[in-house]
Amino acid sequence: MIGLVVHAAHRQRFADAASTLTGVTLAWAVYEHEDEIRDRVAGLLRGHRLDGLLLGLVPYARARDLIPADLPVTVTRSAALDLALAWARARGNGWPATPVSIDTFAGETIDEVATALDLDRTAIAALPFEPGQPVADVAAFHREQLARTGASYVISVRMGVAAALDGQTAVLHALATPGTIRADLNELALRVHTKRADGQRFAAGLFRTEKMNGLRQLLLNTPEFADAWIDQHGARGVLVFAPVSLFETVTHQWVGLPVLAEARDTLGVRTVAGFGIGASARLSVTLAERAAARAEQDTDPGAYLFTGDGMTIGPMGATAAPLTYTYREHGDIEDLAARAGLSAATLSRLAAIERGLDGRPLSPSELARALGITDPSGRRLIRKLTTAGLVSESGSAQEHRKGRPTRLYRLSITADPQDRR
């Protein structure tokens, strides 16, 4: 079940986009005004057990804090094609392409389309999207540009802006096309299926303490581990095999591990844990051993997760605490992730892909296939990484006999910071 948060005027557009999606049930949160968004989203989350959530920039900014951290979310937004179509409608109405004012679109998208259409970029005023940006401020921006340039129209994505400017000027909506929405929905559905598949994979958990027999008995009596395979591992270790989803539950989505506090209080000794998720049982155990060894280095008892693609989550304490993502061989990646506007987990996956490439460049399509996302999403990701200085152009290749050559890019996520500059 995928939830959709949409403006009432857009519902049919989203329904049309979803009509070809099979195996998915939709749950709707429909609003007329932006101040209704939070209540609609809260009601959607209360009333349905969602597997994923699709919503636009404004709803996401308004209700971000309400969305569960483990719920797969896709923020759909108008793409370069949608902006180009808005300009095509302007020309169809006999209006000049410029001067014009545009809201919500990123500057790089406007630059891309303006260059492709050979437009005067200096005659295009842009107001990029900012979270918490009131409709009144966006409308005021357009009024100021209209007064200054005498433009025939404005281009907007927000329905509230169109209402605010009603009767004052023509407003062309650069809304996401059904094709853009359909691609986002398919990508989200793929992520949901991937998450379910990952949850059904098995992982290893290694608990270490000085009172091994007491710890084993404690774990056997832990209800969450009722269906897990539990056995001794070495002189002071207890090994647990269970689906990844079970460990996610026990650790509160890899945030905290209350069973460590219970072990401390019950056994009166220090207990740590390490978790491993790998391509095989043997690799999972090896990763769990390394993660437990890392946990033993900390002063306070805790736990770590090591995955086969190079990601570390930890430390997880006895109680829930903010997650810390790192990349084992290359230090803290949270700053890099924030710079690129990506999650640290995504950047870790990209770092693992970079290692496998061994310096070989790749196309946006190859990157998309490696991550299990759509080609348009792969191109958007490349643009984000380029802006953040984490990828660089490296020539081109003719992937197909017909058509233009495809640009190639070289990932530099794990590069030395000096080299990256």
Side-chain angles (χ1 to χ4, degrees), residues 330-349:
H330 300 281
D332 195 339
I333 67 166
E334 287 187 310
D335 290 342
L336 291 179
R339 186 202 305 174
L342 301 169
S343 70
T346 296
L347 207 60
S348 283
R349 291 183 66 193

Side-chain angles (χ1 to χ4, degrees), residues 95-124:
W95 301 331
T98 59
V100 69
S101 54
I102 302 173
D103 67 63
T104 304
F105 282 92
E108 64 178 19
T109 302
I110 297 175
D111 292 343
E112 177 185 346
V113 179
T115 299
L117 299 179
D118 196 23
L119 304 180
D120 180 5
R121 183 63 178 84
T122 62
I124 303 170

Side-chain angles (χ1 to χ4, degrees), residues 175-249:
L175 304 175
T177 63
T180 299
I181 299 168
R182 187 175 298 113
D184 287 339
L185 275 170
N186 277 284
E187 179 185 343
L188 178 58
L190 178 61
R191 287 171 55 204
V192 170
H193 288 306
T194 300
K195 182 184 177 186
R196 283 186 173 180
D198 286 344
Q200 292 168 356
R201 293 171 59 196
F202 272 72
L206 179 60
F207 294 79
R208 284 182 176 169
T209 185
E210 296 301 326
K211 293 186 177 180
M212 192 271 294
N213 289 331
L215 175 61
R216 186 170 184 270
Q217 195 61 38
L218 173 64
L219 295 177
L220 286 170
N221 292 329
T222 300
E224 291 86 351
F225 288 142
D227 295 325
W229 183 83
I230 301 176
D231 202 0
Q232 181 176 342
H233 187 77
R236 58 187 187 89
V238 177
L239 186 66
V240 179
F241 265 113
V244 173
S245 56
L246 186 149
F247 286 120
E248 288 177 343
T249 300

Side-chain angles (χ1 to χ4, degrees), residues 367-406:
L367 182 62
R369 288 193 295 272
L371 291 172
I373 60 178
T374 63
D375 282 2
S377 296
R379 290 192 291 271
R380 287 197 295 269
L381 179 57
I382 286 289
R383 287 197 292 269
K384 280 189 174 184
L385 294 171
T386 301
T387 301
L390 301 178
V391 73
S392 58
E393 282 196 44
S394 184
S396 61
Q398 189 79 27
E399 290 190 327
H400 306 287
R401 292 173 61 185
K402 297 182 179 180
R404 294 180 298 176
T406 300

Side-chain angles (χ1 to χ4, degrees), residues 257-345:
L257 192 57
V259 72
L260 293 182
E262 188 177 352
R264 177 195 61 208
D265 298 339
T266 303
L267 305 178
V269 295
R270 185 173 186 267
T271 302
V272 301
F275 302 100
I277 304 175
S280 65
R282 178 174 293 183
L283 178 57
S284 295
V285 173
T286 299
L287 292 169
E289 290 172 338
R290 294 175 184 172
R294 174 64 185 85
E296 288 184 311
Q297 297 175 18
D298 292 347
T299 303
D300 298 324
Y304 283 82
L305 164 68
F306 283 6
T307 69
D309 61 2
M311 186 175 70
T312 295
I313 299 178
M316 291 173 260
T319 57
L323 285 174
T324 301
Y325 288 86
T326 59
Y327 187 71
R328 289 201 298 278
E329 285 79 10
H330 300 281
D332 195 339
I333 67 166
E334 287 187 310
D335 290 342
L336 291 179
R339 186 202 305 174
L342 301 169
S343 70

